[in-house]
């Protein structure tokens, strides 16, 4: 029977580990509304076919080859204690670099094991906590926003899977008028090889608030394919300013899958940065919706691949009302046999006049085996707009390398400097402070491991 | 000024890499420590190729001959090793490196020139950079700009001189440093070279130029004429003046004659 069902796209991706019983288990002890939401999501998952390369959006990432769902287990590791001494070495090292913060969240193997927040921010009503805990303690807020408007299960196969099986995540709520000077830092560490992890991020910035959120995913290399799925929902209400930064530094054989959606209300500024350095496969579906006049989103991306790393960025910029702006810049350097796909669409909805929307993807290839495909797209249903898109794939400039080497730099140093400069253009655009240094360090570390 | 030869080029033949297209057809040249030499020649004579080949440009292949630099086989060295050994090429067309500040780039370069295991003291470096920029009448803010990115022709050439001033080479190869410069910019650049030369009289300079004009500001000890991949005449500064008066035609005709014979 199951053969017949999967033939028509039903029940695909239902495995020994991921099935209805697993959904029931994960929802044990949770409020009824949440349990229902998970069951609904699972239902959507079962009814949604696994994306295939026949779909334009998945043309260059063949899940049949890249993802072995049947081999994945749900993590068995007990939640680690809130004690750095018990954390993986790499997590401790990363944490030590991040003293300056409004607050921290640490997740180990999908569970929040630590949360802190500057006391005066807590007094002002800022909430930074485990999503699981927030579902109890701040049920109203979470219930309103979790997997409803931003990333509902209907969004796609992986959004549904995540909404059904998430174990924990981050809830950040910034009340009206509260501005956080320092970024909120989240560090997630994954240790169990062969596991499938599901977590979520829900950020709600009320009117006139300001926050920068930096989420770093780390692991050592895995022995077997390990799946890290994240669903990210960011909601910026009127006149707020929000910056979401995701740093992906998984070890090899990590499959990083992230569905991100940002909702920008009137006069808000909602910027995102995705930095992808690690993992074997990276798939990011980022969608920015500009929902109120005066709203704007800068969407930045950086990736650096080597060996057989595969990156696939699928973005959309939806201008749904008049007078909104978005500006996307994704830049990547690719060495070895690594590969990057960028597919982006600007959609200017009917009546969304005075839209300013730009989209640029630039790639630099450092080897003959590397490859980049860039597919920018426009869909414009209004006539008074400024839109442009551009894509380039180029080789590392040999003259630049010679120039630097003629000043005494070794070949790898010369390459590194050119690549750092190339990628650095993106960082120069980050509006809120406290992040550039961090990202620079991440790039440096990748480059030094690489050579 | 000592008489020890710092550079000895013998029978150097160079072609464009992977193309059987000879450009230098047997160049002999000797430069002593502290001397200023000029190579003049018409477009396409091979004079820039000589500069690039000496710096180790991957686009050129040495097919025959030898180059000794301070007693060492220069051709055995990689481009970066040649820099560390004391060779500096001031580019005709300095390359733009977007996103990399001059200060950062130079710090990396100066660090590379330190003996193995020695760490650059960042405060010393800053002091030195400011001192050099002041010497060259450059605004210190210039160091924050990205290497040659959006620079005018004059700014690019001054940036070359700044790098030279920081790296203090023993042999400076100046490839058409005068090209694309107006007379004021040319004077500034020439003055920079002269200051560095005054600071270190042992530094040797090889000027590569099409025009006599540069030699009004940087006085060569020896002038060579290169035509069709060979040095066809060598002499004192008077050679440049003769060229200014008579042009290259007489040499080109003679070269064509040789080629036919």
């Amino acid at each position: 029977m199951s053969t017949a069902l999967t033939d028509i796209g039903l029940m695909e991706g239902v495995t020994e580990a991921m099935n209805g019983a697993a959904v029931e288990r994960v929802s044990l002890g949770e409020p009824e509304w949440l349990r229902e939401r998970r069951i609904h999501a699972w239902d959507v998952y079962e009814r949604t076919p696994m994306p295939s390369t026949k779909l334009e959006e998945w043309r260059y990432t063949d899940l049949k080859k890249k993802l072995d769902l049947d081999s994945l287990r749900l993590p068995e590791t007990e939640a680690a204690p809130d004690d750095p001494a018990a954390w993986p070495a790499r997590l401790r090292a990363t944490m030590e670099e991040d003293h300056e913060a409004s607050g921290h969240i640490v997740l180990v193997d999908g569970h929040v094991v630590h949360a802190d927040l500057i006391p005066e921010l807590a007094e002002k009503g800022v909430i930074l906590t485990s999503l699981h805990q927030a579902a109890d303690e701040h049920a109203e807020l979470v219930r309103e926003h979790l997997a409803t408007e931003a990333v509902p299960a209907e969004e796609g196969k992986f959004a549904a899977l995540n909404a059904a099986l998430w174990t924990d995540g981050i809830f950040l709520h910034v009340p009206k008028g509260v501005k956080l000077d320092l970024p909120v830092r989240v560090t997630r560490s994954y240790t169990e090889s062969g596991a499938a992890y599901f977590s979520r991020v829900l950020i709600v910035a009320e009117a006139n608030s300001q926050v920068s959120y930096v989420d770093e995913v780390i692991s050592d290399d895995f022995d077997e394919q390990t799946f890290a799925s994240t669903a990210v929902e960011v909601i910026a209400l009127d006149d707020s300013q929000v910056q979401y930064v995701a740093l992906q530094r998984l070890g090899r054989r990590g499959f990083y899958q992230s569905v991100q959606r940002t909702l920008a209300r009137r006069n808000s500024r909602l910027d995102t940065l995705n930095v992808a350095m690690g993992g074997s496969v990276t798939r990011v579906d980022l969608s920015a919706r500009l929902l109120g006049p005066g709203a704007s989103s800068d969407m930045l991306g950086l990736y650096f691949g080597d060996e057989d790393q595969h990156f696939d960025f699928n973005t959309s910029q939806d201008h749904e009302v008049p007078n909104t702006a978005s500006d996307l810049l994704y830049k990547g350097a690719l060495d070895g046999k690594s590969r990057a796909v960028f597919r982006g669409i600007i959609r200017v909805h009917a009546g969304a006049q005075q839209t300013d929307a730009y989209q640029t993807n630039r790639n630099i290839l450092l080897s003959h085996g590397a490859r980049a495909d860039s597919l920018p797209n426009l869909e414009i249903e209004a006539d008074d707009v400024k839109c442009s898109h551009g894509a380039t794939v180029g080789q590392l400039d040999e003259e630049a390398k010679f120039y630097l080497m003629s000043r005494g730099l070794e070949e790898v140093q010369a390459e590194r400097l050119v690549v750092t400069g190339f990628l650095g253009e993106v960082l120069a655009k980050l509006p809120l402070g406290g992040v550039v240094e961090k990202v620079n360090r991440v790039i440096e570390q990748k480059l030094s491991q690489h050579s | 000024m000592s008489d020890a030869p710092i550079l000895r080029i013998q029978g150097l033949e160079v072609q464009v890499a992977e193309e059987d297209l000879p450009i230098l057809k047997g160049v002999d040249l000797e430069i002593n420590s502290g001397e200023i030499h000029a190579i003049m020649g018409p477009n396409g004579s091979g004079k820039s190729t000589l500069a690039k080949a000496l710096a180790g440009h991957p686009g050129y292949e040495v097919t025959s001959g030898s180059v000794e630099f301070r007693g060492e086989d220069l051709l055995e060295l990689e481009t970066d090793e040649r820099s560390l050994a004391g060779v500096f090429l001031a580019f005709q067309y300095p390359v733009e490196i977007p996103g990399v500040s001059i200060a950062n780039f130079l710090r990396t370069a100066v660090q590379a020139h330190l003996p193995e295991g020695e760490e650059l003291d960042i405060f010393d470096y800053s002091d030195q950079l400011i001192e050099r920029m002041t010497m060259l009448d450059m605004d210190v803010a210039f160091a924050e700009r990205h290497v040659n990115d959006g620079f005018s022709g004059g700014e690019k050439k001054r940036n070359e001189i700044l790098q030279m001033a920081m790296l203090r080479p023993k042999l400076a190869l100046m490839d058409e440093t005068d090209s694309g410069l107006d007379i004021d910019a040319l004077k500034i650049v020439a003055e920079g070279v002269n200051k560095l030369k005054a600071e270190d009289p042992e530094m040797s300079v090889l000027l590569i130029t099409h025009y006599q004009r540069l030699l009004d500001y940087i006085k060569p000890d020896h002038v060579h004429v290169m035509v069709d991949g060979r040095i066809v005449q060598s002499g004192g500064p008077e050679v440049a003046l003769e060229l200014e008066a008579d042009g290259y035609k007489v040499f080109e005709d003679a070269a064509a004659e040789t080629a036919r014979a």
Side-chain angles (χ1 to χ4, degrees):
Chain A
M1 184 189 107
S2 68
T3 315
L5 284 171
T6 51
D7 279 349
I8 54 166
L10 290 174
M11 308 292 282
E12 278 183 329
V14 178
T15 72
E16 213 168 293
M18 289 177 268
N19 48 41
V23 178
E24 287 294 347
R25 269 199 307 280
V26 77
S27 59
L28 273 179
E30 285 183 340
E32 189 54 25
W33 65 266
L34 185 50
R35 186 178 162 270
E36 280 167 15
R37 217 164 267 190
R38 286 184 188 276
I39 288 167
H40 165 73
W42 184 256
D43 185 45
V44 173
Y45 178 72
E46 286 188 339
R47 284 187 284 111
T48 307
M50 189 60 75
S52 79
T53 51
K54 285 182 196 142
L55 292 173
E56 186 50 39
E57 297 187 342
W58 287 89
R59 209 170 111 199
Y60 292 100
T61 300
D62 187 352
L63 291 173
K64 281 202 183 100
K65 290 183 187 150
K66 296 279 180 202
L67 179 64
D68 183 8
L69 272 183
D70 288 325
S71 75
L72 297 169
R73 309 181 292 277
L74 294 181
E76 287 148 10
T77 324
E78 293 282 307
D82 185 1
D83 171 16
W87 297 349
R90 189 157 172 186
L91 171 59
R92 284 202 309 273
T94 305
M95 292 300 297
E96 271 161 24
E97 292 170 350
D98 293 330
H99 294 301
E100 292 278 279
S102 288
H104 299 90
I105 294 251
V106 179
L107 285 96
V108 179
D109 290 323
H111 299 282
V112 171
V113 300
H114 171 87
D116 67 62
L117 181 67
I118 291 177
E120 58 177 287
L121 291 173
E123 277 161 33
K124 285 180 182 166
V126 175
I127 304 166
L128 175 65
T129 181
S130 138
L131 185 59
H132 207 258
Q133 201 175 323
D136 276 329
E137 293 171 9
H138 310 281
E140 218 166 297
L141 271 171
V142 175
R143 191 172 177 174
E144 183 185 344
H145 295 294
L146 186 76
T148 53
E149 193 180 7
V151 187
E154 286 77 4
E155 180 67 27
K157 187 77 173 169
F158 291 108
L161 182 61
N162 186 295
L165 285 175
W166 64 275
T167 53
D168 206 348
I170 298 101
F171 179 60
L172 171 61
H173 180 255
V174 187
K176 222 179 210 179
V178 176
K179 293 186 163 67
L180 277 63
D181 295 325
L182 296 171
V184 167
R185 296 196 188 270
V186 172
T187 315
R188 311 159 188 245
S189 159
Y190 296 113
T191 66
E192 201 180 315
S193 192
Y197 292 105
F198 300 93
S199 58
R200 299 186 73 89
V201 177
L202 175 59
I203 299 171
V204 182
E206 300 283 353
N208 257 312
S209 65
Q210 178 186 304
V211 64
S212 170
Y213 170 97
V214 183
D215 196 328
E216 184 173 10
V217 177
I218 56 172
S219 84
D220 293 327
D221 290 346
F222 296 109
D223 298 328
E224 304 163 80
Q225 181 168 69
T226 304
F227 188 69
S229 160
T230 311
V232 180
E233 303 178 289
V234 186
I235 298 154
L237 296 176
D238 297 2
D239 303 294
S240 64
Q241 191 178 355
V242 180
Q243 177 172 287
Y244 167 83
V245 178
L247 306 173
Q248 189 273 101
R249 306 173 70 193
L250 286 177
R252 293 305 146 95
R253 285 173 284 283
F255 187 127
Y256 176 77
Q257 178 272 316
S258 182
V259 181
Q260 308 168 0
R261 175 154 294 175
T262 63
L263 310 180
R265 304 287 180 194
R266 182 182 293 269
N267 290 328
S268 67
R269 175 162 186 182
L270 206 176
D271 301 323
T272 56
L273 167 64
N274 272 286
V275 179
M277 295 285 152
S280 288
V281 183
T282 294
R283 166 74 185 204
V284 174
D285 291 271
L286 165 64
S287 156
R289 292 180 65 189
L290 297 132
L291 300 170
S296 73
S297 281
D298 274 2
M299 302 155 76
L300 304 172
L302 282 178
Y303 44 98
F304 180 39
D306 58 20
E307 295 174 4
D308 61 350
Q309 284 187 288
H310 179 100
F311 302 91
D312 187 343
F313 299 96
N314 181 37
T315 71
S316 66
Q317 293 153 264
D318 276 278
H319 295 264
E320 304 187 21
V321 298
N323 195 23
T324 59
S326 68
D327 190 355
L328 177 146
L329 176 64
Y330 269 60
K331 290 184 96 172
L334 300 159
D335 203 352
K337 290 184 171 177
S338 65
R339 174 162 195 193
V341 183
F342 172 85
R343 185 184 307 88
I345 186 161
I346 293 174
R347 284 193 210 94
V348 180
H349 294 220
Q353 305 294 7
Q354 278 98 50
T355 289
D356 273 3
Y358 307 100
Q359 185 192 68
T360 309
N361 173 229
R362 296 198 191 291
N363 296 281
I364 175 169
L365 304 180
L366 305 175
S367 73
H368 294 296
R371 176 172 170 182
D373 293 280
S374 197
L375 306 117
N377 229 319
L378 297 173
E379 208 177 275
I380 300 176
E381 295 177 45
D383 52 14
D384 180 16
V385 302
K386 276 190 249 167
C387 289
S388 74
H389 62 183
T392 55
V393 178
Q395 308 287 334
L396 180 73
D397 185 350
E398 288 297 322
E399 281 300 314
K401 206 159 92 179
F402 172 63
Y403 185 65
L404 297 176
M405 286 180 72
S406 78
R407 302 316 187 225
L409 275 64
E410 288 173 30
E411 187 169 4
V412 284
Q413 277 183 311
E415 258 184 30
R416 196 183 292 180
L417 206 57
V418 173
V419 171
T420 311
F422 175 78
L423 298 178
E425 188 202 343
V426 173
L427 296 184
K429 292 186 164 226
L430 277 183
L432 296 183
V435 178
V436 173
E437 244 179 64
K438 170 82 199 166
V439 179
N440 263 327
R441 205 160 51 222
V442 167
I443 296 174
E444 283 291 317
Q445 283 171 6
K446 167 89 187 200
L447 282 166
S448 57
Q449 280 162 18
H450 167 73
S451 54
Chain B
M1 203 182 289
S2 82
D3 277 345
I6 183 167
L7 184 74
R8 180 181 286 140
I9 303 172
Q10 286 179 312
L12 188 67
E13 295 182 20
V14 173
Q15 65 177 29
V16 175
E18 287 161 34
E19 278 174 46
D20 198 14
L21 184 70
I23 299 178
L24 298 185
K25 301 167 182 174
V27 173
D28 297 292
L29 179 68
E30 215 166 275
I31 299 179
N32 289 327
S33 183
E35 287 177 349
I36 298 180
H37 287 236
I39 292 185
M40 301 183 70
N43 290 330
S45 60
K47 52 193 195 306
S48 280
T49 298
L50 176 63
K52 286 181 185 167
L54 290 176
H57 192 291
Y60 298 93
E61 190 185 327
V62 175
T63 50
S64 181
S66 67
V67 180
E68 235 176 66
F69 176 67
R70 305 177 83 216
E72 224 183 327
D73 183 356
L74 189 70
L75 301 178
E76 279 297 302
L77 303 179
E78 296 294 329
T79 297
D80 53 327
E81 295 168 332
R82 296 182 195 198
S83 169
L84 302 187
V87 176
F88 181 88
L89 171 63
F91 279 53
Q92 181 179 5
Y93 303 109
V95 184
E96 300 187 5
I97 318 280
V100 177
S101 72
I102 291 175
N104 182 17
F105 160 49
L106 270 175
R107 192 182 43 157
T108 316
V110 171
Q111 169 71 58
H113 280 254
L114 292 179
E116 186 109 24
E118 201 173 303
E119 270 300 310
L120 181 66
D121 182 303
I122 193 69
F123 296 107
D124 288 351
Y125 163 73
S126 300
D127 289 350
Q128 197 192 347
L129 182 60
I130 290 166
E131 187 263 316
R132 302 267 89 179
M133 294 186 87
T134 311
M135 183 186 95
L136 298 171
D137 292 320
M138 295 172 84
D139 185 352
V140 175
F142 188 73
E144 290 310 314
R145 291 179 62 185
H146 295 169
V147 180
N148 299 321
D149 191 9
F151 284 20
S152 68
E155 286 171 332
K156 283 184 180 172
K157 298 296 165 88
R158 290 180 80 179
N159 186 26
E160 295 295 285
I161 306 302
L162 173 63
Q163 293 171 46
M164 184 171 147
M166 290 297 286
L167 299 178
R168 300 170 193 256
K170 299 190 173 67
L171 171 67
L173 310 167
M174 319 223 46
D175 188 7
E176 310 246 2
T177 297
D178 50 337
S179 71
L181 292 189
D182 61 35
I183 198 71
D184 291 330
L186 176 66
K187 278 183 190 169
I188 291 168
V189 167
E191 200 181 314
V193 175
N194 288 330
K195 280 180 182 169
L196 293 174
K197 179 72 184 137
E199 216 176 56
D200 177 13
E202 293 290 299
M203 180 174 77
S204 306
V205 179
L206 179 61
L207 301 166
I208 283 164
T209 181
H210 189 90
Y211 302 106
Q212 147 72 23
R213 169 176 99 130
L214 176 67
L215 308 184
D216 291 339
Y217 301 97
I218 306 176
K219 299 286 184 198
D221 304 304
H222 300 273
V223 175
H224 312 272
V225 181
M226 181 178 271
V227 175
D228 193 28
R230 290 184 184 89
I231 288 175
V232 294
Q233 194 185 353
S234 296
E238 74 285 353
V239 173
L241 297 170
E242 286 163 28
L243 271 180
E244 181 78 348
D246 305 334
Y248 291 110
K249 194 158 187 318
V250 54
F251 296 108
E252 286 172 305
D253 290 348
E257 197 68 33
T258 318
R260 267 199 299 276

